[in-house]
Amino acid sequence: MDQATVATAYEHITLPVLGILPTALVLLALLPIFAILGFLSGRARRERQIADGKDIEQLIGDSSLGAILALLGLLLAFSFGNALSLLESRKADIIAEANALGTAFLRADYLPEPHRSELKQALYDYATTRIVEPDAPLGTRDRAIAFIERSLAAQARLWPLTLEATADPVPPPVATFVASAINDVIDAHQLRMRSVSVPISELSQFIVVLAACAALFLLGNGAGLAGRKLTWRTFLFSGLLLVVMMTVIDVQRASEGLIRVDQSALRATLADMQQGLG
């Protein structure tokens, strides 16, 4: 099975539809619009009730607004906790992969030439494909698949070179010592891939947006029913919601935005490998 075919196994990964900036622009427009729609709806209902000679109930919708705000707070707390957990998992996976690469590179010194240099060079080439560059974040499915294909193409050289390098007359303990390290390097790929696809996070974000829009609608609706103006306080609340929601989204996206996963461990390992190659 060639590497292009293997990469298709990852086509089910779910990535955000919109990038960080488009998402921020959508929320920046969406949240205040719902507050304005709620205000217009409440004012229209107030005018109809006055025209019909009915009394205006000042507490209409207050209980619903309180319930929605409580639910929104719970959802934001859940989403932020989920984002932090995902961020820590990604950091741990990168450190584990950096350690596996460094260990395999050092253990290759036990092999005779020319297999030693060939395997160490292959490990270095593979390590270069594991770093996500700042100017090429994995923000879209196509970029993620391209990243996986590059890594799998470099990874495909490791095991055949290991089998060749650990064949007779290499002592079995040395062969096992080196092969186990290479196997850890290959397994580290799956650890990185487990946190690339985050459909639950995307679903939770949609629910948070829905709850935020409902809360702002009811807030504006209550102001309209009470005959009050839509003041700056409503838009301040909308802005604070935007900041909190964008912080959660930023934390969840490892390779784009302001909060990115630290790849210093991988870069340090790559520098050590480069120095080892001379």
Side-chain angles (χ1 to χ4, degrees):
M1 180 180 293
D2 58 26
Q3 297 311 312
T5 304
V6 174
T8 59
Y10 295 92
E11 288 187 350
H12 65 283
I13 61 177
T14 303
L15 290 173
V17 177
L18 298 176
I20 288 286
L21 183 57
T23 300
L25 293 176
V26 169
L27 291 178
L28 181 62
L30 192 65
L31 296 179
I33 284 176
F34 267 85
I36 294 172
L37 290 176
F39 174 76
L40 295 176
S41 174
R43 189 173 64 179
R45 182 178 178 185
R46 176 184 174 86
E47 292 174 352
R48 287 196 305 269
Q49 288 183 328
I50 292 176
D52 294 339
K54 298 179 180 179
D55 294 332
I56 304 298
E57 298 181 16
Q58 297 294 332
L59 299 180
I60 291 179
D62 282 1
S63 59
S64 299
L65 177 60
I68 290 293
L69 288 175
L71 177 61
L72 178 60
L74 180 64
L75 290 173
L76 285 173
F78 167 76
S79 298
F80 194 70
N82 174 266
L84 288 178
S85 176
L86 186 60
L87 180 64
E88 292 302 320
S89 176
R90 285 168 170 164
K91 289 180 179 179
D93 292 342
I94 286 181
I95 293 175
E97 182 168 34
N99 291 338
L101 285 165
T103 299
F105 189 82
L106 293 177
R107 290 189 185 184
D109 285 331
Y110 287 91
L111 300 173
E113 290 289 5
H115 301 303
R116 177 197 307 163
S117 297
E118 291 176 353
L119 184 56
K120 293 178 76 171
Q121 183 64 50
L123 283 168
Y124 175 79
D125 294 339
Y126 176 64
T128 60
T129 69
R130 305 302 294 165
I131 295 179
V132 180
E133 298 298 338
D135 58 344
L138 305 183
T140 64
R141 180 176 168 277
D142 291 339
R143 285 183 175 179
I145 294 297
F147 171 82
I148 293 170
E149 287 180 348
R150 287 195 302 270
S151 288
L152 292 180
Q155 186 191 97
R157 299 178 54 210
L158 296 179
W159 194 247
L161 285 175
T162 302
L163 293 178
E164 184 178 354
T166 56
D168 290 335
V170 176
V174 174
T176 303
F177 188 64
V178 174
S180 63
I182 299 298
N183 189 65
D184 289 340
V185 170
I186 296 174
D187 290 343
H189 169 76
Q190 298 299 336
L191 295 178
R192 291 282 299 276
M193 290 302 101
R194 70 179 178 178
S195 58
V196 170
S197 181
V198 285
I200 295 179
S201 297
E202 294 303 308
L203 177 61
S204 67
Q205 288 173 15
F206 174 77
I207 296 174
V208 170
V209 171
L210 185 63
C213 290
L216 286 166
F217 183 88
L218 291 177
L219 190 63
N221 188 262
L225 281 173
R228 299 190 301 268
K229 294 182 179 180
L230 198 61
T231 65
W232 59 271
R233 294 178 181 84
T234 302
F235 297 105
L236 176 61
F237 178 62
S238 172
L240 289 175
L241 271 180
L242 173 65
V243 172
V244 174
M245 293 167 66
M246 287 307 303
T247 300
V248 173
I249 292 173
D250 198 0
V251 171
Q252 286 178 333
R253 303 191 183 188
S255 61
E256 58 178 336
L258 299 177
I259 305 172
R260 301 191 180 192
V261 174
D262 185 11
Q263 300 183 95
S264 298
L266 268 178
R267 294 187 185 277
T269 300
L270 194 62
D272 290 340
M273 295 169 73
Q274 187 176 18
Q275 185 177 5
L277 290 173

